[in-house]
Amino acid sequence: MKTVDNLNFAGKRALIRVDFNVPLDKKTLAVTDDTRIKAAVPTINKILADGGSVVLMSHLGRPLKKLKEDGTVDYEKHSLKHAVAKTAELLGRDVKFVSDCISEEAFAASSSLKAGDVLLLENLRFYKEEEKGDAAFAEKLSKHGDVYVNDAFGTAHRAHASTTIVANYYTEGNKMFGYVMANEVKNAERVLKSAEAPFTAILGGAKVSDKILIIENLLSKANNIIIGGGMAYTFFKALGGKIGNSLVEDDKLELALELIEKAKQKGVNLLLPVDSVIADKFDAAANTDNAASNNIPDGWMGLDIAANAVTDFSKVIRASKTILWNGPMGVFEMEKFQKGTEAIAKAVAEATANGAFSLVGGGDSVAAVNKFGLADKVSYVSTGGGAMLEYFEGKELPGIKAIAG
Ligand code: 3PG
Ligand code: MG
């Protein structure tokens, strides 16, 4: 994989696609989680240390899809100017900002950069051309740098102008990956291509439909697949269980049975949570109880895995040498339903301390390891949500293909 290590950037201007799609405080619009900005710092610093300058470009949210009530674009809420202070703080230097991507002003700003300067462009998605992968827009963007660096793993599954098409306007030697991209790929490959057995995949979250492709791909790689979260109840219903008001995808019942059957054929141990913490409503203040996951009373719903499931899952996790975790075990945002996810996070951390390689990815599971203070106790935390999922589904990501070929 060709990275920024393969080039000396002295006197060069690098156009870096970063993923600064970070959460902002609803009121102050300050960055509330700087993980993705922090992740990009080593790539930026390498280029600056060589004597280069840097133009950063990113999207933030989905401004043309999430319109204001009056139908207009909320430019204020989606402006990357809110990321300037945090970026400057993490880099320990000034960061210039220009309130557009391809205006005369933007090109004047990028062409006047000196060695050591950093410029951040405004949100790429203020242009509909970005998501369309428009060639003319991509070509204009390419004028911002002598070299194109893609370090936006989180957006590598999008064939957008700045993530994919822009690479067409650079010669072979002038396009490469940053360290975020290189690390993400290296760690994902370690799990997908050279996992030490036993390899356990822990999959959670609300919907089976989001996880079908990853389960299918992992059925030929993993030794154990642990299913938790809301999606488990589709499996229980498919098996003839009573699930009360729990989440269910009725059009996926047959598929759930097929996955169980395929796992059997392939000798994969597919684990479902035998018991659940149940609630009488979806509410932080709900009344709670425990029940077998296939015998949940009418009017109640499973919102977390319970003690026996935690014991089963933890035992398998602790004995694993490779662990992939995507998706929480329950509604861990609510205190009453966080214990299952917390216990699984602890088991993953314990296995890691005993020599396992663990990779955690996907917005919710990353938020969970952060919440329980365990992010530095797992081997690798991915910056990718959808991109990580698609990678583990076995898909080729357009942002990677555009450079790696
Ligand atoms: C993400 O947060 O998933 C990435 O930044 C990609 O954003 P998108 O899902 O809006 O394309
Ligand atoms: Mg997404």
Side-chain angles (χ1 to χ4, degrees):
M1 201 173 202
K2 199 157 139 226
T3 73
V4 288
D5 280 337
N6 297 99
L7 189 76
N8 185 330
F9 286 81
K12 294 196 191 289
R13 184 157 35 111
L15 174 64
I16 314 181
R17 181 35 159 117
V18 287
D19 189 343
F20 282 5
N21 184 27
V22 291
L24 303 180
D25 183 89
K26 282 201 177 67
K27 282 197 189 119
T28 66
L29 298 176
V31 175
T32 53
D33 180 344
D34 62 6
T35 311
R36 284 178 162 180
I37 302 180
K38 239 185 217 153
V41 167
T43 298
I44 299 169
N45 279 342
K46 146 67 168 123
I47 293 167
L48 299 178
D50 277 357
S53 58
V54 162
V55 178
L56 301 171
M57 58 175 175
S58 178
H59 74 288
L60 178 62
R62 296 174 177 172
L64 301 186
K65 291 178 181 149
K66 301 230 159 109
L67 299 173
K68 288 198 272 193
E69 262 169 32
D70 64 3
T72 60
V73 177
D74 196 338
Y75 288 104
E76 181 61 21
K77 198 178 118 191
H78 293 98
S79 174
L80 272 166
K81 71 183 177 195
H82 305 301
V84 172
K86 193 37 107 180
T87 310
E89 178 196 320
L90 291 169
L91 287 172
R93 63 175 80 221
D94 275 356
V95 171
K96 301 175 203 289
F97 177 75
V98 63
S99 59
D100 190 61
C101 307
I102 53 165
S103 63
E104 248 176 64
E105 191 200 349
F107 288 110
S110 67
S111 59
S112 65
L113 293 180
K114 300 194 183 48
D117 284 351
V118 179
L119 170 72
L120 174 63
L121 303 181
E122 182 54 286
N123 192 346
L124 292 158
R125 289 193 186 165
F126 286 166
Y127 284 87
K128 63 179 185 318
E129 288 84 352
E130 164 65 357
E131 294 196 53
K132 286 195 175 133
D134 182 81
F137 180 65
E139 184 174 15
K140 282 184 196 153
L141 291 176
S142 75
K143 308 279 187 238
H144 281 299
D146 314 311
V147 180
Y148 170 63
V149 176
N150 190 346
D151 214 14
F153 179 75
T155 324
H157 57 318
R158 309 284 183 217
H160 295 170
S162 69
T163 63
T164 304
I165 314 304
V166 68
N168 294 338
Y169 301 95
Y170 290 86
T171 55
E172 224 25 62
N174 286 321
K175 49 186 165 188
M176 60 203 68
F177 298 108
Y179 297 127
V180 173
M181 207 51 139
N183 274 331
E184 291 279 357
V185 171
K186 186 182 83 191
N187 287 297
E189 297 279 279
R190 181 162 173 185
V191 170
L192 273 181
K193 300 212 171 126
S194 53
E196 196 186 330
F199 168 19
T200 300
I202 310 162
L203 301 171
K207 287 155 95 194
V208 191
S209 47
D210 289 341
K211 303 287 156 87
I212 295 167
L213 296 174
I214 190 171
I215 295 176
E216 283 184 340
N217 195 35
L218 292 174
L219 277 173
S220 56
K221 302 184 192 306
N223 305 101
N224 307 297
I225 298 182
I226 290 176
I227 307 263
M231 70 175 183
Y233 303 102
T234 295
F235 286 85
F236 283 112
K237 180 159 178 189
L239 289 165
K242 262 188 71 188
I243 60 163
N245 282 347
S246 305
L247 272 182
V248 64
E249 285 170 277
D250 279 315
D251 59 337
K252 295 288 177 292
L253 297 176
E254 222 164 283
L255 178 101
L257 290 179
E258 277 168 32
L259 291 173
I260 292 171
E261 191 49 41
K262 274 191 201 163
K264 257 189 216 144
Q265 280 165 17
K266 291 186 182 273
V268 176
N269 182 21
L270 187 92
L271 289 95
L272 293 167
V274 289
D275 53 356
S276 296
V277 176
I278 58 172
D280 58 355
K281 54 181 181 239
F282 187 85
D283 193 302
N287 293 307
T288 65
D289 202 347
N290 282 0
S293 299
N294 61 2
N295 196 15
I296 297 176
D298 291 339
W300 291 71
M301 61 186 85
L303 294 184
D304 194 8
I305 60 173
N308 293 317
V310 165
T311 306
D312 292 350
F313 289 1
S314 301
K315 199 169 147 207
V316 169
I317 292 166
R318 282 200 207 96
S320 302
K321 284 282 169 236
T322 307
I323 300 163
L324 170 68
W325 182 14
N326 178 286
M329 297 291 104
V331 189
F332 72 96
E333 300 86 344
M334 299 180 190
E335 211 190 318
K336 289 184 174 180
F337 314 111
Q338 72 171 30
K339 280 201 196 78
T341 302
E342 184 174 15
I344 293 316
K346 282 190 176 145
V348 173
E350 241 178 80
T352 311
N354 289 327
F357 177 77
S358 56
L359 189 154
V360 181
D364 286 337
S365 20
V366 173
V369 290
N370 283 331
K371 175 170 180 175
F372 304 124
L374 296 167
D376 59 353
K377 303 232 166 9
V378 300
S379 309
Y380 189 72
V381 178
S382 174
T383 56
M388 187 247 182
L389 206 57
E390 289 196 22
Y391 202 95
F392 282 96
E393 288 170 355
K395 288 187 187 142
E396 193 167 49
L397 306 187
I400 294 180
K401 186 158 186 271
I403 291 177

